[in-house]
């Protein structure tokens, strides 16, 4: 065989690794010596709970740092005390930790740099690059111009450096009311990019800050603070979402004018959108305040806390983010793709147990009175490592109401008078009839069993077409099952004409159910596959030791088809 052939075969066998545009940019920076390392960060503002879109940013920034052997910072952009709460700080930390983005001892706050930001503002004033303005918010809008017309210079734009320094000091010392003065960067009021038309970099706000208390009554604006935070922490690649693309010239202006050596580079990517879900903080807040949901972690929402409570796993979220990919173009993903990911993650990890969500009694007339036996049942046929359990079986069982029909249609293979079915893991039984109440509702189904068919197979080789699940009435645990649908009515769209949400009245259905006694020690966040019903998780808020509550994570049926790779 020639050397050429060997080389060709080796190339064919070698896996081709496709990189996204951010990885290509980082590779180029490292190859050209722009940076000798990779250092990223996740910088949320603590003004609400994180949602599924934030998970993409967390995993992307953390993943890049890990991929390149670099560092990852967790930093709160807490520059706006009017909206920020310690509650949100703690919830965000819990979300990031749960997703596995390990920031070790690299936890920071924008407020850690307030002194540096103030010094930076003084430096800009001294360079003639910033000035104190007397314009009101309304006047500033009038002076700003439009997308097609340049803005007008602020009347205070040519104040002397000495006057600006004195006024800015007075701002810091609390001599002005909120909104009375601002500090503006002096850039270009004729710039085609409105963000560069002398943006505000400091405003007066007499507010107590969750981290710095009452030390400051002036606070930096995000577009000024963020590049300083990145530069102070030695961030190399400031990965942010696409709406900050027009702000990048200001980001670069700040680090350039403040003369940071080897400043960070901002790179933008498209946000991740999910169809027919609510992520807007204003809408979620109203849902919470109106009592439609029971908090920011209600399992019908797609906050990370809600997904965790419902039973989603970090692995499923990561799979979803990977499937969505990283791009420059905004796009939406179907919620069914997220459901696909959790099914894929759980199907071989979790035990499959029997639970009856709409119970009706099944009485085996010829089963010995008072006898109970234990059947050995595999926990998951696809994963032997999960072992097996003992399932009690007796004369009276519970089955799902839909598994019996007195007058069935064609191709109905479950229980009806005269038909024989298999009780899962147990015996063949033949239905003999039913008992009804005064309203005509079936309250008991009766049958006989074949003792020789234990294990679900008949020694004479006869076949049955139907298999149904069950629980033993004497030992089953009574529990609550919560069946969730999208909180939005998907057929009508997210919003009504008046801007209100199109709510789905069936987004939550609560069922009294019976489950196997093997679940008696189930703890918060434990999850299981309920046979034929879906994957369920023990609710972390409302479930108690003697009153288990299970949230349905996802049903077993999927409408999502994984796209084929080219």
């Amino acid at each position: 065989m020639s050397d050429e052939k060997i080389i060709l075969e080796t190339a064919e066998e070698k896996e081709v690794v496709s990189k996204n545009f951010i990885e290509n940019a980082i590779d180029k920076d490292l190859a050209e010596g722009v940076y000798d390392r990779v250092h990223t960060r996740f910088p949320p503002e603590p003004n609400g709970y994180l949602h599924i879109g934030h998970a993409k940013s967390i995993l992307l920034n953390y993943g890049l740092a890990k991929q390149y052997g670099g560092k990852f910072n967790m930093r709160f952009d807490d520059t706006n005390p009017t909206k920020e709460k310690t509650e949100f700080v703690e919830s965000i930390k819990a979300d990031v930790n749960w997703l596995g983005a390990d920031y070790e001892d690299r936890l920071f706050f924008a407020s850690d740099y307030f002194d540096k930001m103030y010094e930076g503002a003084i430096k800009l004033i001294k360079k003639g690059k910033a000035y104190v303005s007397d314009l009101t918010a309304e006047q500033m809008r009038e002076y700003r111009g439009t997308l097609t017309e340049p803005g007008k210079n602020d009347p205070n734009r040519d104040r002397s450096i000495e006057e600006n320094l004195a006024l800015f000091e007075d701002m810091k010392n609390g001599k002005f009311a909120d909104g009375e003065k601002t500090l503006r960067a002096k850039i270009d009021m004729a710039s085609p990019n409105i963000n560069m038309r002398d943006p505000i970099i400091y405003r007066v706000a007499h507010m107590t800050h969750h981290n710095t208390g009452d030390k400051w009554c002036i606070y930096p604006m995000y577009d000024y603070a963020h590049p300083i935070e990145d530069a102070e922490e030695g961030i190399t690649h400031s990965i942010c979402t696409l709406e900050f693309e027009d702000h990048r010239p200001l980001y670069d202006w700040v680090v350039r004018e403040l003369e940071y050596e080897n400043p960070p580079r901002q790179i933008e990517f498209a946000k991740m959108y999910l169809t027919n879900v609510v992520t807007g903080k204003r809408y979620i807040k109203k849902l919470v305040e109106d009592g439609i949901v029971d908090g920011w972690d209600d399992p019908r929402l797609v906050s990370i806390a809600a997904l965790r409570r419902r039973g989603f796993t970090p692995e499923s979220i990561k799979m979803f983010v990977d499937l969505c990919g990283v791009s420059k173009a905004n796009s939406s993903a179907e919620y069914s793709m997220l459901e696909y990911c959790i099914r894929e993650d759980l199907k071989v990890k979790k035990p499959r147990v029997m639970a009856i969500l709409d119970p009706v009694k099944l009485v085996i007339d010829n089963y010995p009175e008072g006898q109970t036996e234990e059947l050995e049942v595999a926990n998951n046929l696809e994963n032997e490592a999960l072992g097996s359990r003992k399932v009690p079986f007796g004369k009276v069982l519970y089955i799902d109401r839909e598994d019996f029909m007195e007058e069935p249609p064609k191709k109905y293979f479950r229980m009806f008078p005269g038909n024989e079915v298999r009780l899962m893991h147990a015996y063949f039984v033949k239905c003999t009839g039913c008992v009804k109440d005064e309203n005509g509702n079936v309250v008991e189904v009766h049958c006989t069993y074949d003792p020789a068919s234990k294990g679900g197979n008949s020694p004479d080789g006869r076949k049955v077409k139907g298999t149904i699940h069950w629980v033993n009435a004497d030992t089953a645990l009574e529990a609550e099952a919560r069946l969730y649908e999208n909180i939005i009515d998907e057929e009508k769209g997210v919003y009504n004409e008046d801007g209100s949400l199109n709510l789905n009245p069936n987004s939550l259905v609560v069922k009294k159910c019976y489950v196997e006694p093997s679940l008696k020690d189930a703890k918060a966040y434990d999850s299981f596959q309920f046979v034929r019903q879906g994957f369920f998780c023990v609710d972390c808020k409302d479930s108690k030791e003697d009153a288990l509550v299970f949230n349905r994570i996802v049903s077993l049926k999927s409408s999502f088809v994984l796209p084929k790779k080219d």
Side-chain angles (χ1 to χ4, degrees):
M1 184 181 293
S2 69
D3 290 343
E4 182 180 356
K5 179 73 177 226
I6 294 172
I7 293 169
L8 181 61
E9 287 187 348
T10 304
E12 287 175 347
E13 291 169 3
K14 186 177 180 181
E15 183 181 357
V16 177
V17 178
S18 176
K19 294 194 172 186
N20 61 53
F21 74 96
I22 297 177
E23 292 168 321
N24 288 332
I26 291 175
D27 287 344
K28 186 172 184 292
D29 286 344
L30 294 174
E32 294 178 355
V34 178
Y35 305 108
D36 58 4
R37 70 200 188 289
V38 172
H39 197 159
T40 62
R41 83 290 170 270
F42 174 62
E45 184 181 355
N47 62 356
Y49 282 64
L50 302 183
H51 57 69
I52 184 69
H54 294 107
K56 179 176 182 177
S57 184
I58 295 167
L59 294 170
L60 175 59
N61 278 284
Y62 175 70
L64 288 168
K66 190 174 181 181
Q67 177 182 339
Y68 287 94
K71 294 180 180 179
F72 169 75
N73 287 9
M74 174 71 193
R75 183 213 306 143
F76 288 96
D77 259 318
D78 55 343
T79 57
N80 186 2
T82 60
K83 296 182 179 180
E84 296 156 2
K85 295 181 182 178
T86 302
E87 171 196 351
F88 298 141
V89 170
E90 295 305 315
S91 74
I92 291 170
K93 284 162 65 175
D95 291 342
V96 174
N97 288 329
W98 178 72
L99 284 170
D102 184 8
Y103 48 86
E104 299 175 350
D105 58 349
R106 306 197 65 79
L107 174 62
F108 302 96
F109 291 83
S111 51
D112 296 338
Y113 310 109
F114 279 175
D115 288 306
K116 287 282 186 182
M117 294 171 191
Y118 180 76
E119 291 169 10
I122 296 293
K123 184 172 185 174
L124 291 176
I125 293 172
K126 288 180 176 179
K127 291 177 69 174
K129 297 290 186 177
Y131 61 95
V132 174
S133 173
D134 300 340
L135 294 182
T136 65
E138 185 178 346
Q139 289 171 328
M140 206 164 288
R141 279 192 294 271
E142 292 172 3
Y143 274 68
R144 179 175 289 175
T146 67
L147 291 172
T148 56
E149 297 177 353
K152 296 185 296 183
N153 283 349
D154 190 308
N156 312 120
R157 199 172 196 266
D158 295 323
R159 271 178 167 150
S160 69
I161 289 174
E162 291 72 24
E163 187 180 3
N164 282 318
L165 288 172
L167 286 170
F168 190 52
E169 181 74 9
D170 288 344
M171 286 171 63
K172 179 176 80 77
N173 291 335
K175 294 186 178 180
F176 300 112
D178 291 2
E180 190 176 348
K181 304 282 185 187
T182 59
L183 183 69
R184 300 181 70 178
K186 186 187 285 189
I187 306 178
D188 181 6
M189 289 304 295
S191 172
N193 185 338
I194 290 181
N195 297 297
M196 299 297 281
R197 294 180 186 175
D198 291 11
I200 297 172
I201 58 176
Y202 262 95
R203 80 281 199 197
V204 177
H206 292 267
M207 294 287 296
T208 299
H209 190 279
H210 76 96
N211 199 26
T212 59
D214 296 319
K215 178 180 177 180
W216 298 93
C217 63
I218 57 170
Y219 290 97
M221 302 298 287
Y222 177 88
D223 279 348
Y224 169 71
H226 191 77
I228 294 175
E229 298 155 28
D230 284 346
E232 287 291 329
E233 292 175 13
I235 301 302
T236 57
H237 297 86
S238 182
I239 313 299
C240 58
T241 46
L242 210 53
E243 71 265 29
F244 292 102
E245 187 172 28
D246 289 340
H247 298 246
R248 193 197 318 148
L250 179 54
Y251 182 102
D252 293 340
W253 183 90
V254 170
V255 292
R256 182 174 64 250
E257 293 298 337
L258 293 180
E259 301 170 26
Y260 281 102
E261 293 183 13
N262 208 22
R265 174 185 179 186
Q266 178 175 302
I267 303 175
E268 308 85 16
F269 68 97
K271 279 185 175 180
M272 181 170 68
Y273 293 98
L274 263 181
T275 55
N276 293 318
V277 300
V278 182
T279 56
K281 292 172 185 173
R282 176 168 62 94
Y283 287 106
I284 295 176
K285 184 180 179 185
K286 182 168 175 53
L287 291 173
V288 173
E289 290 173 347
D290 291 350
I292 295 169
V293 297
D294 71 354
W296 289 77
D297 63 349
D298 186 290
R300 288 167 288 180
L301 302 174
V302 291
S303 66
I304 296 176
L307 292 168
R308 179 166 68 250
R309 180 181 172 189
R310 183 158 172 175
F312 280 80
T313 62
E315 294 84 359
S316 66
I317 304 298
K318 185 177 186 304
M319 186 190 305
F320 176 67
V321 168
D322 288 344
L323 284 176
C324 289
V326 178
S327 73
K328 274 280 201 181
N330 285 323
S331 61
S332 295
E334 295 291 331
Y335 189 83
S336 59
M337 185 162 82
L338 181 60
E339 293 180 321
Y340 165 84
C341 292
I342 188 62
R343 287 191 196 95
E344 285 297 298
D345 185 51
L346 296 182
K347 68 181 181 181
V348 297
K349 289 183 178 179
K350 301 299 176 181
R352 297 172 184 176
V353 299
M354 294 185 286
I356 304 301
L357 271 55
D358 188 9
V360 64
K361 279 188 177 180
L362 175 67
V363 181
I364 307 174
D365 293 321
N366 63 333
Y367 193 84
E369 197 76 42
Q371 178 177 311
T372 300
E373 59 184 305
E374 288 191 325
L375 307 176
E376 187 82 17
V377 176
N379 284 325
N380 189 324
L381 292 174
E382 295 181 62
N383 185 355
E384 292 182 3
L386 291 180
S388 61
R389 68 190 186 282
K390 300 284 189 181
V391 179
F393 183 87
K395 185 180 182 70
V396 182
L397 311 174
Y398 286 115
I399 63 171
D400 260 313
R401 188 169 296 275
E402 67 174 20
D403 286 339
F404 170 79
M405 293 187 74
E406 196 172 11
E407 297 179 2
K410 288 183 179 180
K411 296 187 178 180
Y412 181 84
F413 300 122
R414 300 174 201 173
M415 295 200 82
F416 56 87
N419 191 44
E420 189 172 44
V421 299
R422 176 187 294 104
L423 293 179
M424 187 174 285
H425 311 301
Y427 297 96
F428 283 12
V429 294
K430 180 177 284 189
C431 181
T432 56
C434 64
V435 176
K436 299 180 183 179
D437 62 16
E438 62 274 14
N439 298 316
N441 299 312
V442 175
V443 292
E444 276 185 10
V445 178
H446 285 257
C447 66
T448 58
Y449 86 119
D450 177 1
S453 64
K454 186 172 184 178
N457 293 295
S458 173
D460 62 11
R462 71 183 187 275
K463 305 292 183 183
V464 296
K465 290 184 176 180
T467 299
I468 64 174
H469 62 293
W470 50 273
V471 294
N472 183 38
D474 290 338
T475 57
L477 303 175
E478 187 174 325
E480 180 179 298
R482 296 175 178 176
L483 309 183
Y484 294 104
E485 292 181 4
N486 197 330
I487 198 166
I488 295 298
D489 189 328
E490 296 183 35
E491 291 185 2
K492 296 180 180 177
V494 178
Y495 304 109
N496 291 307
E497 289 184 4
D498 63 0
S500 61
L501 292 170
N502 249 323
L503 297 176
N504 174 7
N506 300 313
S507 63
L508 170 61
V509 175
V510 178
K511 297 258 192 184
K512 171 188 171 183
C513 67
Y514 291 98
V515 301
E516 289 183 26
S518 62
L519 300 185
K520 66 183 176 60
D521 296 323
K523 301 292 189 295
Y525 299 111
D526 286 350
S527 54
F528 310 87
Q529 180 180 330
F530 287 0
V531 172
R532 286 175 47 205
Q533 301 292 347
F535 290 97
F536 285 74
C537 174
V538 179
D539 188 77
C540 64
K541 276 178 126 175
D542 300 330
S543 191
K544 298 178 176 57
E545 190 174 334
D546 58 346
L548 292 171
V549 176
F550 293 93
N551 299 325
R552 184 162 68 183
I553 310 167
V554 64
S555 65
L556 297 178
K557 295 179 180 178
S558 176
S559 61
F560 175 75
V561 179
L562 185 66
K564 292 182 179 179
K565 292 184 179 180
D566 293 335

